[in-house]
Amino acid sequence: MRPGLLGLAVLLIALGGLGAAFAVTSVRATGTYLAVARAVEVGREVGADDLVTVQVAGGQGLSPVAADRIGEVVGKRAAVSLTPGTLLTMAQLTDDPLLGSGQQQIALGLPPSEVPARKLSPGDEVLLVTTPDRNSDGKGPGTRFEATVIDTATPETGSVVVYLALANRDVPAVVVLAAQKRIALVLTRAA
C-alpha cells in the first residue's frame, strides 16, 4: 500500500468525523422561533394569524422570539413594519399607546384625491394645512398642524377616513376647519 493513499484515507476519515460532529452540533442548536407570516404595518396589533413557527439551526448573533413565547407577542403593536418571512424579535414590538400624552384622536373624511398617498400607514407623520376661505383673497399663509396617522378606513361611501393623533390644543381648530372643508393633508414622513 502506498503511504500517500494511506495518508489521504486518514485525512478523509478525520474530515468525515469533523463533518459529523458539526452536523450533530447544528441539529442540537436548532430551535423553534416565531416568524412573520403576513405583512403587519406599524402600529397594528400582532395576531396569532400574523405569525408562523419555524425551525432555525444555529442562529448565533440573532435574538428571535422563541415559539413558546407567542402569548407575550400576540396583542402587542408593531413598532416597525413586519415583513413576511422574517424572524420576529421583541425589539420590533411595543406596548406604547398610539396616542401620546397630551394628544387626542380625530377622524377626517377625505375624498381619495385629497389623500397624499395610495395608502397611509399607522405612524406616518402628516401636516394639516388650512386652505383659504372662499370669501378671502387667499394670500395669507395657511396654519399648520402636525399629526400622526393612527389608522385609515375606506367605507362604502368612497371617501377615505384618516384617524389622526393630534395635540389637544389643535383639536378644536382642526374640527372647525374640517367641517368647513378647509383642511389639506400633506404626508411629511412615511413610517
Side-chain angles (χ1 to χ4, degrees):
M1 188 172 248
R2 293 188 207 171
L5 288 176
L6 182 59
L8 181 61
V10 170
L11 180 63
L12 289 175
I13 289 171
L15 288 175
L18 287 173
F22 177 75
V24 168
T25 304
S26 294
V27 169
R28 285 187 190 152
T30 298
T32 304
Y33 301 102
L34 295 174
V36 181
R38 60 183 177 193
V40 180
E41 296 172 341
V42 175
R44 299 244 188 242
E45 279 192 11
V46 176
D49 294 342
D50 298 322
L51 304 171
V52 65
T53 57
V54 294
Q55 295 279 328
V56 176
Q60 291 81 3
L62 299 177
S63 55
V65 178
D68 61 358
R69 294 180 61 193
I70 193 166
E72 297 174 41
V73 170
V74 172
K76 288 187 181 279
R77 277 190 289 288
V80 297
S81 294
L82 302 179
T83 306
T86 59
L87 290 174
L88 184 70
T89 67
M90 291 305 281
Q92 296 171 311
L93 306 172
T94 184
D95 283 325
D96 294 339
L98 291 176
L99 283 177
S101 176
Q103 290 183 322
Q104 293 178 333
Q105 179 176 317
I106 66 164
L108 292 179
L110 301 169
S113 63
E114 293 181 16
V115 178
R118 284 183 187 246
K119 185 167 180 158
L120 291 171
S121 300
D124 286 349
E125 292 179 10
V126 295
L127 197 60
L128 303 172
V129 182
T130 60
T131 56
D133 186 358
R134 289 189 178 127
N135 299 327
S136 72
D137 60 8
K139 292 182 182 177
T143 305
R144 299 165 184 236
F145 305 96
E146 294 179 358
T148 304
V149 175
I150 293 175
D151 201 0
T152 60
T154 308
E156 292 179 13
T157 61
S159 63
V160 177
V161 178
V162 182
Y163 300 94
L164 300 169
L166 192 64
N168 291 343
R169 69 180 181 281
D170 297 336
V171 170
V174 171
V175 168
V176 169
L177 291 164
Q180 297 171 352
K181 300 196 183 307
R182 292 188 46 224
I183 200 95
L185 188 66
V186 179
L187 179 62
T188 57
R189 188 181 71 79

